[in-house]
Amino acid sequence: MNNKLIAPSILAADFGNLQRDVEMVNNSEADWFHIDIMDGVFVPNISFGMPVLKAISKHAKKTIDVHLMIVDPDRYIKTFAELGSDVLTVHYEACTHLHRTLQAIKAEGMQAGVALNPHTNINVLEDTINDIDLVCLMSVNPGFGGQSFIENTYNKVKQLKELITKKGANTKIEIDGGVTNKNAKALVEAGADVLVAGSYVFKSDNQPETIRGLKAIANS
Ligand code: DX5
Ligand code: ZN
């Protein structure tokens, strides 16, 4: 895939000015909205839930990429489809019957994603990679924005890219956590297709310009 995608993470937005920040993403060169849903059980933090996603969906004009950091995500697949999710990503570590979960996501008309924690080896996806539209490689431990990028991620991107090629799969690779202008180029060179960026975008002084710069680096 040639066009590398940028997905600002709304977790780092100003929730008191959510519509303003959603419109900023709409009017920027960003490709996707990345939406982090945390339940305080799978990860040690609670972010926001359905009413907030509903409010975002009402204004968002780009692909809505929902990252579920929750236990037993099967309970809410239908709900997230109804809320406007285009991509629904569940954690490998939270699914007992991953294959069934992936089929259920697709049956609701969404793209099916699987996220891997930093400690989870790529080889656990050997038997499902052809059923996965997107693999989200966590480059921090999930639960919080603003953490430092884990350097071993580069090795994992390369291993995942090899697996996708070997199996003839059509799976996108997304990187989530600590993405900045410093690591974007190397991530894309290793095989990444989608870069999630929260703090780097929303804590910057000129957010559209930061997005534009990241997009340019990723596609240079
Ligand atoms: C972490 C979330 C990330 C987070 C990224 O659990 O999954 O999407 O918002 O934020 P930054 O870019 O600040 O690391
Ligand atoms: Zn995320």
Side-chain angles (χ1 to χ4, degrees):
M1 195 175 66
N2 282 327
N3 186 26
K4 305 298 178 182
L5 308 179
I6 305 300
S9 176
I10 295 300
L11 185 65
D14 176 355
F15 294 153
N17 292 284
L18 197 48
Q19 186 180 356
R20 181 199 68 192
D21 284 2
V22 169
E23 295 296 356
M24 184 282 293
V25 175
N26 281 339
N27 294 321
S28 76
E29 288 188 29
D31 300 279
W32 290 4
F33 285 86
H34 185 83
I35 309 290
D36 290 307
I37 306 287
M38 305 178 185
D39 66 355
V41 179
F42 180 70
V43 288
N45 193 15
I46 299 174
S47 54
F48 50 79
M50 286 75 169
V52 175
L53 176 54
K54 192 172 178 187
I56 294 168
S57 285
K58 192 173 157 201
H59 301 288
K61 296 197 177 79
K62 296 179 175 179
T63 295
I64 297 184
D65 169 37
V66 175
H67 176 193
L68 295 182
M69 285 160 272
I70 66 174
V71 296
D72 198 5
D74 301 66
R75 292 171 294 166
Y76 298 113
I77 291 171
K78 211 177 172 56
T79 304
F80 280 101
E82 287 164 1
L83 288 168
S85 312
D86 298 296
V87 183
L88 190 65
T89 296
V90 296
H91 264 264
Y92 170 82
E93 302 84 4
C95 295
T96 310
H97 299 286
L98 181 64
H99 186 270
R100 178 185 291 156
T101 303
L102 294 170
Q103 304 313 318
I105 293 171
K106 291 183 191 178
E108 293 295 334
M110 297 176 285
Q111 293 182 55
V114 178
L116 296 186
N117 278 337
H119 73 272
T120 303
N121 199 283
I122 298 299
N123 63 22
V124 300
L125 299 180
E126 280 259 350
D127 293 308
T128 42
I129 194 72
N130 294 94
D131 299 297
I132 302 174
D133 296 305
L134 173 132
V135 174
C136 174
L137 289 181
M138 292 309 302
S139 38
V140 297
N141 283 295
F144 304 92
Q147 303 181 81
S148 311
F149 180 83
I150 298 172
E151 296 286 323
N152 185 50
T153 307
Y154 298 117
N155 297 326
K156 293 183 77 173
V157 182
K158 286 178 201 151
Q159 287 168 25
L160 177 56
K161 188 75 190 172
E162 277 169 25
L163 176 64
I164 290 167
T165 305
K166 184 177 86 178
K167 298 277 188 176
N170 190 22
T171 312
K172 286 188 185 69
I173 301 177
E174 176 178 70
I175 311 298
D176 188 10
V179 171
T180 69
N181 58 341
K182 303 272 187 294
N183 49 30
K185 184 69 190 161
L187 286 167
V188 163
E189 279 172 0
D193 303 295
V194 186
L195 302 178
V196 175
S199 314
Y200 178 65
V201 166
F202 285 101
K203 307 297 178 218
S204 71
D205 291 336
N206 187 337
Q207 298 166 354
E209 183 56 26
T210 303
I211 292 170
R212 195 200 60 75
L214 203 54
K215 178 93 180 165
I217 293 170
N219 288 283
S220 63

